[in-house]
Amino acid sequence: AARMLLRLLSDIQWRAANPKWRRMTSSRRSTSTTAEPHPVSLPAQAQVVICGGGITGTSVAYHLSKMGWKDIVLLEQGRLAAGTTRFCAGIVSTARPVSIELKMAHYSNKLYEQLEQETGVPTGYTKTGSISLAQTRDRLISLKRIASSLNVMGIPCEIITPKQAVELHPLINIHDLVGAMYVPEDALVTSANVSLALATAASQNGVQIHERTSVSHVTVQKGHVTGVETDRGRIECQYFVNCAGQWAYELGHSGEEPVHIPLHACEHFYLLTHPLAEPLSSSLPTVVDPDGRIYIRNWQGGILSGGFEKNPKPLFTEGRNQLEIHNLQEDWDHFGPLLGAILRRMPGLEALQIMQLVNCPESFTPDMRCIMGESPTARGYFVLAGMNSAGISYGGGAGKYLAEWMVNGYPSENVWSLDLKRFGTLQSSRTFLRHRVMEVMPLMCDLKVPRWDFQTGRQLRTSPLYDRLDAQGARWMEKHGFERVKYFVPPEKDLLDLDLSKTFYKPDWFDIVGAEVKCCKEAVCVIDMSSFTKFEISSTGDQALESLQYLFSNDLDVPVGHVVHTGMLNEKGGYENDCSIARLSKRSFFMISPTDQQVHCWAWLKNRLPDDSNLILEDVTWKYTALNLIGPRAVDVLSELSYAPMTAEHFPSLFCKEMSVGYANGIRVMSITHTGEPGFVLYIPIEYALHVYNEVMNMGQKYGIRNAGYYALRSLRIEKFFAFWGQDLDAFTTPMECGREFQVKLEKGMEFVGQEALLEQKQNGVYKRFTMFILEDHDTDMDLWPWWGEPIFRNGRYVGKTTSSAYSYTLERHVCLGFVHNFDEKTGEELVVTTDFINQGEYEIDIAGQRFQAKARLYPFSNLFTHRRRKDEVELSGYQRE
Amino acid sequence: FYLTPPQVNSILKANEYSFKVPEFDGKNISSVLGFDSNQLPANAPIEDRRSAATCLQTRGMLLGVFDGHAGCACAQAVSERLFYYIAVSLLPHETLLEIENAVESGRALLPILQWHKHPNDYFSKEASKLYFNSLRTYWQELIDLNSGETTDVREALINAFKRLDNDISLEAQVGDPNSFLNYLVLRVAFSGATACVAHVDGVDLHIANTGDSRAMLGVQEEDGSWSAVNLSYDHNAQNEHEVERVKMEHPKSEEKSLVKQDRLLGLLMPFRAFGDVKFKWSIELQKRVIESGPDQMNDNEYTKFIPPNYHTPPYLTAEPEVIHHKLRPQDKFLVLATDGLWETMHRQDVARIVGEYLTGVHHEQPIAVGGYKVTLGQMHGLLTERRARISSVFEDQNAATHLIRHAVGNNEFGTVDHERLSKMLSLPEELARMYRDDITIIVVQFNSHVI
């Protein structure tokens, strides 16, 4: 290892001394022809094998070794930091719209800042700051939203005028700007050297690094990683970390048990120039012009500038090694529009002489967020890849979270939005990935507005009613590949074009959804909810009940035909899933969970259910079409169709029964609606779906039935203060923190996962509290709409963020849901949040820098239930998913 | 001095001509869709000529470019007369008889050719009678020779070329009582012209070439890219076979003097040509004709000048090399052009530019900065230009014009540079010839639906 370190250091010095290092390319897979011998032979076994010596791999190695894991081998097929990392623009920017990404970037910045001191490797770290420019009002709004969340995190950041921008960077042409955001602590680094510094530190901590070693595949036995096959022999290991960047997809597919890592490479260009006549200062801030799709940073007296074109060129769709990264061609015609934008932004650069147009592939993911976590099928197989061109910004933080995940079993932050398990095999098609990344790459610069839907890779999973609903004006969104209706556009109505409909203000569908909500309240609506994940758990004996009792917090030993809302908690009492479970028989259960739980929940259960061939877990998602009949007249429609009394006396709330609807038999009817409104969900074997839908619509006519979509559902559930998993609830939220103690049976007579943590919380109190806010002085027509992630202020002090929001057509007000913390005024330490603390505050919600007064509530409005038909049988229990 | 883009366009488009084969019943059943032609002068007056005509008594279409030297008289005469000689050579015996009878009895003649001419393409009215008489003599001989065999296109082309050159020679030797005509036939004979002629009849494409103009076929490969197939050989010093041929035709003693400085007898670039009797007649004949000719001939140093090492004439022939090509679906177009084009552009680029023009699809050569010193501003200008070209490619409605625009305006990156174009087109007459030659281009588009 010492020899390794020495070589690394000399490598760095050589690179630093040679300004043309970018051209010196030595990374090749074929190692036999190169003269340099491998310094050390591979070990026969290790605890962890990391594949990939780029920023992510070295960061994982660095953090694992810091956390005390020493038996680590890092393998790199070429040279360390020689892939995308080498060609990275080296911008560390915290200006990120997603909070977890912002946190990762912030951590990376802090890490890199001290890295040179820690390792002695020059990282080129310079705190230049960054200026994000807004050419439009909407862009400025989105910058203000980011500024709000940076500020509450204590990251200096200000919204500045164009004039102030030009004072910070004299070359900026400001004539078309409406404003800008300045983040003074953003930095520049020499990305390859950061990676080498991390490797050096890891190596000092005992990590073995082997270059020119390719992993051919990972072996998995009984669902656990057992070892790694390389071109230099086998290494037995317990953990494997796939940090192979754009090759991660291929590597994941190379083993017998494929690990689906949905990412795809695109060509990505940036320009290097010779220095200006008067060389640019190395402290000049980086300029990001998202409306022009470009960024410009200072580089050795000249500039380094690139961007995200509208027409990206995906590559390596057919697999690796058709073309070496380093042989990619410059494509000036492709770069032309970006060059135009660069010169428009800084006309003073015209005379600057070109040094090189670098073409370096970057990997992008289907939802613009990176991929980390453990494989749902192979335990011990971890992944960190798909950085969407922000590898340097995220690398440090992402490596830390992954290391924590491996060492502690969970990361220190909620990383669900980055979790590999948010994807399944369905996002793994090469065609899907190719098409999707062509949409994703331009989106990097596009305005991020609420309720944006991807346009590519659509119509993959659909309900059998898709065509029927589409013909009736359905507008669609997609979740986990499944098409779901947002709302129905009435025939006489015209909505704006997709691009024009982007807004931070009141959307054009406002009245349409309002009408659907009204129908849910007064008559009856049908919503196709087939996308929900549906599992059946059954056993020959009591195994099913026993296992579920252990894995779920509520008491599932209920009479047959009852439905139970329950959390699936982790050891800390946090929600891994939030579901409804119907007891179909003594020994079988039907479990409904959110759509995107399909992979996560399956893996969670598989890993924890006893290995017993008499206990069967089956995914029946595809077998049933779900129709949600919401509204006071649902009962009438259903009883007419089934010739069965459906009133509360015969069919109480939270009840499940198989019955016939129309000609179709075996329809599972449950008296829940996921909204707090009266009604039923029908789980229909798919071949009956069309028949039942037609019968319901025909019969429903006289009761004023109409189709509705998820936007109506969302408005209904939020005004009822229903939390949903994936947005409001996550692995860091316990039932105690969101007022769902009643869904937990602490004394159900047996131990269950998370029980201890919950007992402790019950005793000591909670440190955050799920709270409902009703915006007071907010003008729905004129003001910016809340979305989620808005800072919450209590008595002028930041206490937390919103997690979701909707307009309540009943209250005629906006409702935001979010968590309130109690940070100690001096230390910032989190204190217990009591009911009094919530109730005794004056609240404000910050929407893009503008604060609106809000009323806080811990319980839903009871007077909303104007059409209450049954006394106590409405679902008081908050339970919702979207 | 700077030309605006509209001025550039008006210069480039001054001589452009397009012909579309008429459709019948909404369909074009001909193998030729039509053609675009254009010429850009460098000499004043231009010495290039072009011709295009449809054969009316036989099937097929004739197209040709003619590059004159030592004046334009020969090229002009060949452009007027050659297609008649070819058409007549192709006519069956009965048609020839019918025509002869009509002439004999003063009846209206069957039209032989339908010309497709630009207004600037003139025919000499004064010489028409003379030319007609020579042509009539030719068909009368053909009638007498009646072999009863069907006419072979290759043979017809060769015969027509040789016969016309022979007639040019004879007319000059015989002279004409009309002094204008007398001077004209002499100027025709003492100047020269190369000819590159295409005859398209269904899928049969014949190229008859004399000299250094060139015919090139544009072929679209399966992947959509374009390649060029030569359908003629240049008759000049670069062509080994041609040099070999010339040497074979003359005694060994002359081997050294035949080709000097890549020129025939150190003087003439093309190794085959019409006219140029100075390389065909004996010294005695030349002297006699010049002496008996008008004063203008005697005063002309060039005509009086006898080539050095002139021992065993003729040194020059108008006999064409004929290449037959069966058109295939991938053969999309034919380019006939004088050497003015081929000097500035590689045939591969010609194929690509025309191919992309005709299909509207552009596979541009990628730009590589390489060792050049390029500023961001320059690169931006260049890219804007390339983009603009893609959108404005159709400001040229004529493939030949488009090709000329490239031939004259291309910069080192293979894109049209307006500044360069403007400079090249605004050169004063006396300088123009030093920077470029006359360019004449015909682009024939084939009908893939029929082929």
Side-chain angles (χ1 to χ4, degrees):
Chain A
R3 217 178 124 194
M4 183 71 210
L5 178 65
L6 206 67
R7 209 180 59 66
L8 276 173
L9 285 171
S10 66
D11 194 14
I12 290 152
Q13 276 155 12
W14 168 76
R15 284 165 202 229
N18 184 347
K20 287 223 170 83
W21 57 268
R22 284 172 189 283
R23 293 165 179 280
M24 310 295 286
T25 309
S26 56
S27 146
R28 288 291 182 272
R29 295 195 75 221
S30 55
T31 56
S32 52
T33 53
T34 46
E36 197 179 327
H38 293 290
V40 215
S41 59
L42 289 188
Q45 58 186 37
Q47 186 187 11
V48 183
V49 173
I50 299 169
C51 173
I55 183 71
T56 56
T58 52
S59 175
V60 171
Y62 172 90
H63 286 100
L64 279 177
S65 65
K66 279 252 154 146
M67 293 180 75
W69 283 21
K70 301 294 180 191
D71 189 11
I72 300 166
V73 175
L74 188 151
L75 306 178
E76 161 58 44
Q77 60 172 344
R79 298 284 294 267
L80 280 179
T84 298
T85 299
R86 158 176 278 187
F87 293 97
C88 172
I91 299 168
V92 187
S93 164
T94 48
R96 305 287 170 181
V98 181
S99 129
I100 185 69
E101 293 181 339
L102 193 155
K103 284 177 183 161
M104 290 197 295
H106 184 51
Y107 173 83
S108 301
N109 196 344
K110 294 272 168 273
L111 173 69
Y112 304 157
E113 188 175 8
Q114 54 79 49
L115 202 56
E116 184 165 338
Q117 199 187 359
E118 182 188 341
T119 62
V121 178
T123 55
Y125 182 93
T126 320
K127 205 171 265 184
T128 59
S130 74
I131 310 171
S132 302
L133 308 177
Q135 293 184 22
T136 65
R137 293 272 149 211
D138 274 350
R139 177 68 67 181
L140 194 59
I141 291 166
S142 82
L143 291 179
K144 284 176 174 171
R145 289 185 63 94
I146 295 172
S148 287
S149 51
L150 284 171
N151 279 328
V152 298
M153 272 194 68
I155 303 172
C157 167
E158 55 179 317
I159 296 295
I160 57 175
T161 61
K163 264 206 168 135
Q164 287 171 296
V166 82
E167 280 161 21
L168 290 164
H169 196 309
L171 287 175
I172 303 179
N173 166 21
I174 56 166
H175 78 272
D176 58 346
L177 299 182
V178 297
M181 177 177 71
Y182 178 49
V183 186
E185 293 191 354
D186 278 356
L188 293 180
V189 294
T190 307
S191 44
N193 287 6
V194 165
S195 186
L196 291 172
L198 291 170
T200 305
S203 158
Q204 276 162 344
N205 277 331
V207 174
Q208 290 187 56
I209 298 175
H210 295 267
E211 296 182 292
R212 304 186 195 287
T213 308
S214 310
V215 174
S216 66
H217 65 273
V218 176
T219 55
V220 176
Q221 270 172 24
K222 291 183 184 157
H224 279 261
V225 166
T226 56
V228 172
E229 295 289 347
T230 78
D231 57 350
R232 294 173 58 211
R234 178 178 168 80
I235 307 176
E236 305 278 341
C237 65
Q238 291 162 261
Y239 293 93
F240 174 74
V241 190
N242 182 339
C243 294
Q246 61 201 319
W247 311 124
Y249 174 93
E250 290 290 315
L251 181 57
H253 277 226
S254 63
E256 264 179 53
E257 175 73 62
V259 175
H260 301 290
I261 304 164
L263 53 84
H264 194 291
C266 275
E267 292 184 42
H268 185 44
F269 297 88
Y270 64 77
L271 172 73
L272 293 174
T273 71
H274 292 280
L276 260 87
E278 190 186 327
L280 283 186
S281 155
S282 64
S283 61
L284 262 191
T286 299
V287 173
V288 183
D289 179 4
D291 299 305
R293 312 190 152 271
I294 51 151
Y295 59 84
I296 305 171
R297 58 159 278 193
N298 75 74
W299 184 75
Q300 298 188 0
I303 62 155
L304 182 163
S305 178
F308 298 90
E309 62 274 28
K310 278 184 177 164
N311 51 338
K313 300 204 289 183
L315 82 169
F316 303 133
T317 306
E318 296 87 350
R320 68 196 299 180
N321 280 352
Q322 309 161 70
L323 194 62
E324 287 281 352
I325 290 183
H326 308 281
N327 293 341
L328 288 178
Q329 294 292 313
E330 57 189 329
D331 185 342
W332 280 101
D333 290 303
H334 193 71
F335 195 70
L338 296 180
L339 179 59
I342 292 165
L343 292 177
R344 220 167 14 259
R345 187 51 56 217
M346 295 191 189
L349 299 178
E350 287 225 356
L352 208 49
Q353 199 185 312
I354 294 165
M355 179 180 279
Q356 200 189 347
L357 183 64
V358 179
N359 180 358
C360 162
E362 257 293 345
S363 47
F364 294 87
T365 62
D367 58 2
M368 281 189 281
R369 300 194 298 263
C370 78
I371 297 172
M372 66 160 73
E374 192 176 15
S375 155
T377 48
R379 300 213 75 183
Y381 192 123
F382 282 82
V383 177
L384 179 55
M387 304 309 279
N388 295 292
S389 78
I392 282 294
S393 290
Y394 299 152
K400 174 183 157 225
Y401 292 145
L402 194 79
E404 289 169 349
W405 202 330
M406 293 171 68
V407 174
N408 303 331
Y410 44 86
S412 59
E413 288 283 347
N414 168 32
V415 294
W416 167 248
S417 59
L418 314 176
D419 194 328
L420 170 63
K421 291 193 281 290
R422 73 189 186 273
F423 297 120
T425 53
L426 69 96
Q427 287 92 354
S428 191
S429 139
R430 288 182 199 266
T431 313
F432 167 79
L433 287 171
R434 184 180 172 87
H435 290 182
R436 177 56 67 82
V437 297
M438 288 173 73
E439 181 182 4
V440 158
M441 186 167 158
L443 274 180
M444 305 301 295
C445 283
D446 282 355
L447 207 55
K448 314 273 186 307
V449 294
R451 301 167 295 267
W452 172 255
D453 301 306
F454 289 105
Q455 303 302 308
T456 53
R458 294 291 297 269
Q459 292 178 312
L460 178 57
R461 301 169 74 203
T462 57
S463 148
L465 305 175
Y466 180 86
D467 284 344
R468 283 296 307 275
L469 302 180
D470 199 53
Q472 296 175 77
R475 292 291 183 275
W476 302 90
M477 61 181 181
E478 168 255 354
K479 185 84 173 183
H480 203 60
F482 213 109
E483 294 293 334
R484 311 197 300 183
V485 181
K486 294 192 281 192
Y487 45 79
F488 287 83
V489 180
E492 72 278 10
K493 269 258 192 185
D494 256 343
L495 286 192
L496 294 170
D497 286 343
L498 196 65
D499 263 345
L500 293 173
S501 69
K502 283 184 169 186
T503 179
F504 289 100
Y505 292 90
K506 181 175 153 181
D508 54 355
W509 43 256
F510 182 80
D511 294 330
I512 294 175
V513 173
E516 290 178 9
V517 166
K518 187 163 184 277
C519 185
C520 287
K521 296 262 183 194
E522 294 174 357
V524 55
C525 278
V526 187
I527 305 183
D528 183 340
M529 309 211 353
S530 307
S531 70
F532 279 3
T533 299
K534 309 177 244 331
F535 292 165
E536 273 177 14
I537 302 130
S538 55
S539 61
T540 49
D542 286 338
Q543 303 99 313
L545 178 65
E546 281 167 16
S547 306
L548 296 183
Q549 284 286 58
Y550 174 66
L551 291 172
F552 292 84
S553 59
N554 210 340
D555 189 0
L556 289 165
D557 195 4
V558 289
V560 169
H562 279 240
V563 180
V564 177
H565 291 312
T566 178
M568 182 176 87
L569 308 182
N570 55 33
E571 285 70 15
K572 295 185 297 172
Y575 278 99
E576 290 295 333
N577 188 4
D578 182 31
C579 36
S580 309
I581 298 180
R583 189 165 193 181
L584 298 177
S585 72
K586 273 243 172 271
R587 300 187 173 106
S588 69
F589 296 84
F590 185 55
M591 175 182 168
I592 316 292
S593 7
T595 308
D596 51 1
Q597 274 280 357
Q598 198 167 17
V599 179
H600 175 68
C601 181
W602 179 265
W604 183 271
L605 292 176
K606 269 286 171 193
N607 288 337
R608 284 163 182 80
L609 287 175
D611 194 8
D612 179 349
S613 58
N614 291 322
L615 175 62
I616 294 161
L617 172 67
E618 191 190 356
D619 185 343
V620 295
T621 303
W622 61 275
K623 284 187 179 174
Y624 294 95
T625 295
L627 289 182
N628 193 351
L629 269 65
I630 305 177
R633 310 312 296 266
V635 59
D636 303 312
V637 175
L638 212 54
S639 49
E640 282 209 44
L641 279 173
S642 60
Y643 287 91
M646 299 300 291
T647 52
E649 298 80 60
H650 301 92
F651 208 119
S653 180
L654 288 175
F655 201 67
C656 168
K657 198 158 122 186
E658 278 202 6
M659 49 194 284
S660 59
V661 177
Y663 300 151
N665 206 353
I667 312 295
R668 262 175 213 167
V669 178
M670 289 194 206
S671 46
I672 55 174
T673 61
H674 310 295
T675 57
E677 302 296 331
F680 304 89
V681 179
L682 277 51
Y683 287 92
I684 310 158
I686 53 167
E687 67 266 38
Y688 298 146
L690 199 57
H691 171 76
V692 172
Y693 176 78
N694 288 340
E695 291 292 303
V696 165
M697 291 311 274
N698 289 336
M699 187 58 75
Q701 261 186 353
K702 61 181 171 191
Y703 300 104
I705 201 167
R706 59 182 291 168
N707 291 300
Y710 270 76
Y711 281 8
L713 190 91
R714 177 189 172 81
S715 169
L716 288 169
R717 72 95 183 168
I718 287 179
E719 71 179 18
K720 291 277 166 52
F721 197 17
F722 277 27
F724 72 80
W725 194 91
Q727 182 116 47
D728 307 308
L729 305 181
D730 59 43
F732 289 77
T733 310
T734 71
M736 308 302 186
E737 294 161 348
C738 55
R740 290 199 182 174
E741 206 179 321
F742 61 91
Q743 286 185 13
V744 178
K745 285 286 175 317
L746 286 169
E747 318 295 339
K748 66 179 168 183
M750 68 172 292
E751 224 179 281
F752 62 89
V753 181
Q755 188 178 27
E756 219 168 296
L758 295 183
L759 277 169
E760 195 189 312
Q761 269 196 335
K762 193 180 160 93
Q763 204 142 48
N764 301 339
V766 295
Y767 291 87
K768 63 178 176 185
R769 192 66 208 264
F770 193 51
T771 311
M772 176 180 190
F773 295 95
I774 293 93
L775 295 190
E776 296 284 303
D777 55 348
H778 183 270
D779 185 329
T780 303
D781 293 317
M782 303 303 293
D783 287 327
L784 286 171
W785 273 33
W787 183 5
W788 57 273
E790 289 89 11
I792 302 164
F793 291 87
R794 178 184 176 278
N795 300 340
R797 292 183 61 236
Y798 169 72
V799 289
K801 282 188 176 181
T802 63
T803 49
S804 55
S805 74
Y807 180 80
S808 162
Y809 292 88
T810 319
L811 296 167
E812 296 180 322
R813 281 269 172 272
H814 261 287
V815 177
C816 299
L817 309 181
F819 285 91
V820 173
H821 301 249
N822 181 3
F823 301 108
D824 185 276
E825 244 173 277
K826 295 200 181 83
T827 62
E829 189 194 347
E830 288 199 48
L831 305 174
V832 169
V833 178
T834 61
T835 309
D836 282 350
F837 180 81
I838 299 289
N839 289 337
Q840 290 165 6
E842 294 288 325
Y843 291 90
E844 286 170 308
I845 308 284
D846 174 333
I847 306 174
Q850 196 182 348
R851 292 192 189 177
F852 296 92
Q853 289 169 18
K855 275 248 154 59
R857 294 185 62 98
L858 285 172
Y859 302 97
F861 290 94
S862 50
N863 60 2
L864 278 177
F865 304 102
T866 46
H867 293 278
R868 191 199 296 226
R869 292 170 61 87
R870 293 163 278 177
K871 260 183 290 173
D872 305 314
E873 282 152 5
V874 285
E875 297 161 77
L876 277 167
S877 51
Y879 153 69
Q880 174 55 35
R881 52 192 55 99
E882 211 165 284
Chain B
F1 188 66
Y2 185 80
L3 298 173
T4 63
Q7 286 173 314
V8 163
N9 283 347
S10 75
I11 293 175
L12 288 180
K13 294 180 178 192
N15 292 314
E16 72 179 16
Y17 178 77
S18 288
F19 173 75
K20 261 196 158 61
V21 172
E23 294 177 346
F24 296 99
D25 198 17
K27 276 186 212 149
N28 186 341
I29 47 159
S30 159
S31 61
V32 174
L33 285 175
F35 71 88
D36 291 338
S37 76
N38 198 355
Q39 45 187 193
L40 180 71
N43 291 297
I46 185 169
E47 295 181 344
D48 278 6
R49 292 294 185 270
R50 59 181 159 172
S51 294
T54 304
C55 301
L56 294 176
Q57 301 307 320
T58 57
R59 292 174 311 158
M61 195 168 192
L62 286 164
L63 305 113
V65 293
F66 312 99
D67 183 356
H69 49 265
C72 59
C74 184
Q76 173 64 34
V78 173
S79 74
E80 289 179 41
R81 302 174 72 182
L82 181 59
F83 287 7
Y84 280 114
Y85 280 72
I86 296 171
V88 162
S89 309
L90 287 167
L91 287 179
H93 184 67
E94 306 75 50
T95 316
L96 287 174
L97 271 179
E98 201 178 322
I99 291 172
E100 175 57 22
N101 290 338
V103 174
E104 190 67 31
S105 56
R107 275 187 283 123
L109 214 57
L110 285 172
I112 298 175
L113 292 174
Q114 182 198 0
W115 292 95
H116 311 298
K117 284 198 302 189
H118 186 272
N120 291 358
D121 301 338
Y122 64 95
F123 274 14
S124 142
K125 281 214 175 72
E126 296 79 0
S128 62
K129 184 78 187 145
L130 173 71
Y131 291 166
F132 178 77
N133 287 336
S134 298
L135 182 68
R136 186 179 175 190
T137 313
Y138 177 39
W139 80 54
Q140 285 169 342
E141 280 174 32
L142 287 175
I143 291 172
D144 294 344
L145 277 172
N146 177 21
S147 55
E149 285 168 25
T150 48
T151 329
D152 177 66
V153 179
R154 168 190 299 273
E155 227 164 279
L157 285 164
I158 294 174
N159 291 341
F161 271 60
K162 284 164 77 172
R163 176 66 184 212
L164 173 59
D165 193 48
N166 204 37
D167 283 356
I168 287 170
S169 173
L170 276 175
E171 284 155 12
Q173 288 174 41
V174 172
D176 196 282
N178 176 320
S179 64
F180 177 83
L181 280 182
N182 195 33
Y183 182 42
L184 177 72
V185 294
L186 284 170
R187 276 189 297 138
V188 168
F190 276 87
S191 61
T194 70
C196 186
V197 172
H199 178 264
V200 199
D201 178 5
V203 296
D204 288 305
L205 169 64
H206 284 85
I207 303 290
N209 182 46
T210 284
D212 55 4
S213 290
R214 197 181 285 173
M216 184 212 86
L217 195 62
V219 181
Q220 187 161 33
E221 304 295 342
E222 270 175 23
D223 65 357
S225 66
W226 296 93
S227 61
V229 173
N230 271 351
L231 288 182
S232 67
Y233 302 108
D234 297 351
H235 299 137
N236 57 21
Q238 277 72 50
N239 182 343
E240 287 174 29
H241 298 284
E242 203 53 14
V243 175
E244 205 54 37
R245 176 186 65 78
V246 172
K247 287 184 177 170
M248 291 281 286
E249 288 171 359
H250 297 277
K252 196 108 177 117
S253 55
E254 289 184 52
E255 191 163 318
K256 290 253 164 55
S257 56
L258 274 173
V259 180
K260 277 185 167 174
Q261 289 154 341
D262 283 347
R263 285 164 189 255
L264 190 65
L265 297 178
L267 292 172
L268 198 59
M269 291 257 266
F271 280 24
R272 301 191 194 192
F274 283 94
D276 282 328
V277 292
K278 287 159 51 57
F279 296 85
K280 290 173 181 165
W281 291 352
S282 65
I283 295 174
E284 297 73 37
L285 181 58
Q286 290 189 41
K287 282 188 172 152
R288 182 169 59 75
V289 170
I290 291 168
E291 275 162 20
S292 62
D295 297 343
Q296 298 102 311
M297 291 300 287
N298 275 309
D299 297 344
N300 189 325
E301 286 303 316
Y302 171 76
T303 45
K304 283 207 302 200
F305 172 76
I306 301 296
N309 304 306
Y310 197 79
H311 306 299
T312 52
Y315 288 90
L316 196 61
T317 174
E319 178 170 340
E321 224 177 336
V322 178
I323 291 181
H324 174 228
H325 178 81
K326 283 249 185 238
L327 288 173
R328 307 159 299 171
Q330 65 265 41
D331 301 333
K332 300 299 183 191
F333 59 89
L334 174 75
V335 178
L336 300 176
T338 55
D339 60 342
L341 174 70
W342 308 111
E343 279 163 11
T344 57
M345 290 189 93
H346 191 267
R347 59 195 167 99
Q348 188 55 48
D349 293 330
V350 172
R352 183 177 53 79
I353 288 165
V354 175
E356 287 171 358
Y357 172 82
L358 293 177
T359 54
V361 181
H362 292 264
H363 303 280
E364 291 201 80
Q365 288 297 310
I367 301 180
V369 174
Y372 293 102
K373 284 192 175 176
V374 186
T375 67
L376 294 182
Q378 288 167 337
M379 179 58 82
H380 181 54
L382 178 65
L383 294 173
T384 312
E385 178 82 40
R386 276 161 72 96
R387 269 204 308 284
R389 184 158 53 105
I390 289 173
S391 53
S392 75
V393 110
F394 302 101
E395 86 180 338
D396 290 330
Q397 276 93 44
N398 183 303
T401 310
H402 189 61
L403 204 44
I404 291 176
R405 191 186 293 277
H406 274 274
V408 180
N410 264 10
N411 58 16
E412 62 266 38
F413 293 108
T415 62
V416 174
D417 180 343
H418 177 77
E419 207 173 311
R420 189 186 156 94
L421 197 55
S422 162
K423 270 188 202 152
M424 290 292 278
L425 293 180
S426 56
L427 289 170
E429 274 184 10
E430 61 276 17
L431 278 180
R433 184 61 186 88
M434 297 172 67
Y435 288 92
R436 53 187 170 87
D437 195 357
D438 294 337
I439 298 176
T440 299
I441 299 171
I442 299 177
V443 177
V444 186
Q445 205 183 340
F446 296 121
N447 186 354
S448 309
H449 301 293
V450 175
I451 300 165

